[in-house]
């Protein structure tokens, strides 16, 4: 018998209905477009999760394109989405900021979101999240407010404002993910660590637009990531400050020639040059530069860079470490 990762995972979790070995385990669901699962709608599966459940609820999503506008309420905690692969499971929506709602009002950036994540301890693996509206202005694929959120091997597709880590007290971890866009396509208030992700600028623009609060220790941290895409040479900035205390750091990242030698833009707000924290360490590739970056950005020393660890950035008062949970899953599979 040939075992896929998904089949091993469901056996490990005791999800017998998913593996075709008996009756469904209470609180665990499958979603399938063809009606072969517990639900055909992802939102229906989400709403079936007991409120404030203390144990993990796994929703296995069968291959297909799911066009839904989703909300994971704050009461739906410890929910995990698992897909067979990011190429086979696509969650999509096509709303955008200037699109009119049923009352004839513009939806706005937040209203354009395809998937709202308010629940804490949400995890997604092997899934594509897409806003398919095209180059029509702000159009969000996923907006995250929940705390301790993990995305592993996921894709985020869109143009302007693709990924919106919104919650000021939200901590998020992205590993081996693919994130594409044009203008400010990773933006928001949250504290986020991106590990070994591929960042794809599709045209001239800005990768990040952090809006970190002055009282927040860290904003966006990219570690061992690759920036490479379709944008023209020297047409892409690493970031610009949506709010004056924006924080964005790139560590040991490859940068292709699309990156503007100046690196950072002040969004025509000179005062932000005094308050924003933009920094790099170990950048390499044709887009890296130690001499042409703006004077108000920082090149970290080896000692300063060493302070950027997952534990220091994401730990918080509860010492959260997303790698520990990932290691536990791998140990159980092995």
């Amino acid at each position: 018998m040939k075992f896929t990762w998904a089949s091993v995972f469901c056996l490990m979790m005791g999800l017998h209905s998913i593996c075709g070995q008996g009756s469904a385990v209470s609180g665990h669901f499958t979603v399938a477009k063809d009606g072969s699962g517990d639900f055909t709608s992802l939102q229906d599966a989400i709403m079936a999760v007991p409120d404030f459940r203390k144990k993990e609820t796994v929703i296995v999503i069968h291959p297909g394109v799911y066009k839904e506008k989703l909300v994971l309420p704050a009461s739906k905690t410890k929910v995990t989405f698992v897909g067979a692969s990011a190429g086979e499971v696509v969650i999509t929506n096509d709303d955008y900021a200037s699109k009119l709602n049923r009352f004839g009002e513009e939806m706005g950036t937040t209203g354009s979101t395809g998937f709202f994540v308010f629940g804490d301890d949400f995890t997604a693996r092997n899934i594509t999240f897409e806003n398919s509206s095209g180059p029509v202005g702000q159009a969000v694929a996923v907006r995250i407010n929940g705390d301790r959120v993990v995305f592993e091997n996921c894709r985020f597709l869109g143009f302007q404002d693709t990924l919106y880590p919104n919650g000021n007290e939200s901590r998020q971890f992205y590993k081996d993910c693919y994130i594409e866009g044009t203008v400010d396509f990773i933006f928001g208030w949250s504290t986020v660590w991106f590990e070994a992700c591929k960042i794809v600028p599709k045209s001239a623009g800005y990768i990040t637009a952090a809006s970190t609060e002055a009282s927040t220790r860290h904003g966006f941290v990219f570690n061992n990531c690759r920036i490479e895409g379709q944008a023209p040479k020297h047409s892409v900035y690493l970031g610009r400050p949506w709010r004056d205390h924006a924080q964005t750091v790139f560590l040991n990242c490859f940068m292709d020639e699309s990156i503007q030698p100046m690196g950072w833009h002040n969004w025509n707000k000179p005062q932000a040059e005094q308050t924003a924290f933009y920094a790099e360490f170990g950048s390499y590739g044709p887009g890296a530069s130690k001499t042409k970056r703006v004077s108000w950005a920082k090149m970290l020393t080896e000692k300063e860079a060493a302070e950027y660890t997952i534990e220091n950035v994401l730990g918080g008062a509860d010492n959260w470490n997303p790698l520990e949970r990932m290691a536990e899953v791998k140990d159980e599979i092995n």
Side-chain angles (χ1 to χ4, degrees):
M1 178 182 294
K2 183 179 180 181
F3 288 90
T4 64
W5 184 92
S7 66
V8 172
F9 181 87
C10 64
L11 285 166
M12 174 198 78
M13 296 299 295
L15 308 179
H16 304 297
S17 66
I18 297 168
C19 299
Q21 297 183 6
S23 60
V25 175
S26 176
H28 294 229
F29 310 113
T30 59
V31 180
K33 294 281 290 184
D34 62 5
S36 62
D38 299 309
F39 301 94
T40 59
S41 162
L42 285 163
Q43 190 64 56
D44 288 347
I46 288 170
M47 299 314 294
V49 176
D51 290 333
F52 300 107
R53 188 166 189 245
K54 295 181 179 180
K55 295 183 178 180
E56 186 175 25
T57 301
V58 177
I59 298 175
V60 173
I61 307 171
H62 289 195
V65 177
Y66 297 83
K67 186 175 183 181
E68 298 187 55
K69 196 173 180 76
L70 299 177
V71 177
L72 181 77
S75 64
K76 308 300 181 182
T77 54
K78 297 184 181 295
V79 174
T80 293
F81 281 6
V82 178
S85 74
E88 293 178 286
V89 178
V90 179
I91 299 173
T92 186
N93 195 265
D94 58 4
D95 287 342
Y96 52 94
S98 61
K99 186 176 181 179
L100 302 183
N101 63 23
R102 67 179 61 190
F103 299 106
E105 305 155 341
E106 290 191 355
M107 290 185 168
T109 300
T110 293
S112 74
T113 302
F115 182 23
F116 294 89
V117 179
F118 295 107
D120 290 344
D121 299 296
F122 173 74
T123 300
R125 297 184 176 98
N126 308 327
I127 296 170
T128 290
F129 300 93
E130 175 189 44
N131 188 306
S132 63
S133 60
V136 291
Q138 299 95 329
V140 179
V142 185
R143 179 182 186 264
I144 305 99
N145 283 71
D147 191 21
R148 299 182 299 271
V149 171
V150 175
F151 291 94
E152 182 180 7
N153 193 34
C154 290
R155 298 192 303 163
F156 301 86
L157 310 183
F159 285 80
Q160 183 173 350
D161 293 0
T162 305
L163 178 61
Y164 191 3
N166 175 262
N168 179 43
E169 297 182 357
S170 170
R171 292 164 295 170
Q172 302 169 30
F173 182 71
Y174 296 72
K175 187 174 189 301
D176 297 326
C177 290
Y178 172 103
I179 308 166
E180 69 172 28
T182 54
V183 176
D184 306 335
F185 61 94
I186 302 172
F187 73 112
W189 282 266
S190 305
T191 297
V192 188
W193 184 286
F194 299 91
E195 179 68 31
C197 293
K198 185 172 182 179
I199 311 300
V200 182
K202 297 169 70 171
S203 68
Y206 311 84
I207 294 173
T208 67
S211 50
T212 321
E213 295 281 5
S215 58
T216 302
R217 288 187 60 197
H218 299 287
F220 299 159
V221 178
F222 296 82
N223 188 50
N224 295 319
C225 294
R226 293 186 67 85
I227 303 172
E228 49 189 348
Q230 310 147 11
K233 183 177 180 178
H234 297 171
S235 68
V236 177
Y237 289 87
L238 297 172
R240 60 178 181 170
W242 185 17
R243 297 292 185 270
D244 287 355
H245 292 273
Q247 290 193 49
T248 303
V249 176
F250 286 86
L251 306 170
N252 307 306
C253 292
F254 172 83
M255 301 179 182
D256 72 8
E257 66 178 6
S258 70
I259 299 303
Q260 227 286 340
M262 294 176 62
W264 310 92
H265 194 282
N266 68 5
W267 209 324
N268 301 318
K269 297 186 289 187
Q271 75 278 5
E273 296 181 9
Q274 307 302 316
T275 51
F277 184 79
Y278 287 149
E280 297 174 67
F281 176 82
S283 298
Y284 65 101
S289 176
K290 291 186 177 180
T291 60
K292 296 183 179 180
R293 296 294 197 242
V294 294
S295 61
W296 44 277
K298 185 175 179 61
M299 289 293 173
L300 299 173
T301 66
E302 188 171 343
K303 182 178 180 181
E304 290 169 332
E307 293 297 312
Y308 283 87
T309 65
I310 292 171
E311 293 83 357
N312 287 345
V313 173
L314 297 179
D318 57 1
N319 295 313
W320 181 57
N321 186 337
L323 295 179
E324 292 181 357
R325 173 57 183 154
M326 295 168 69
E328 288 171 4
V329 171
K330 290 180 181 178
D331 289 342
E332 291 176 12
I333 291 175
N334 295 331

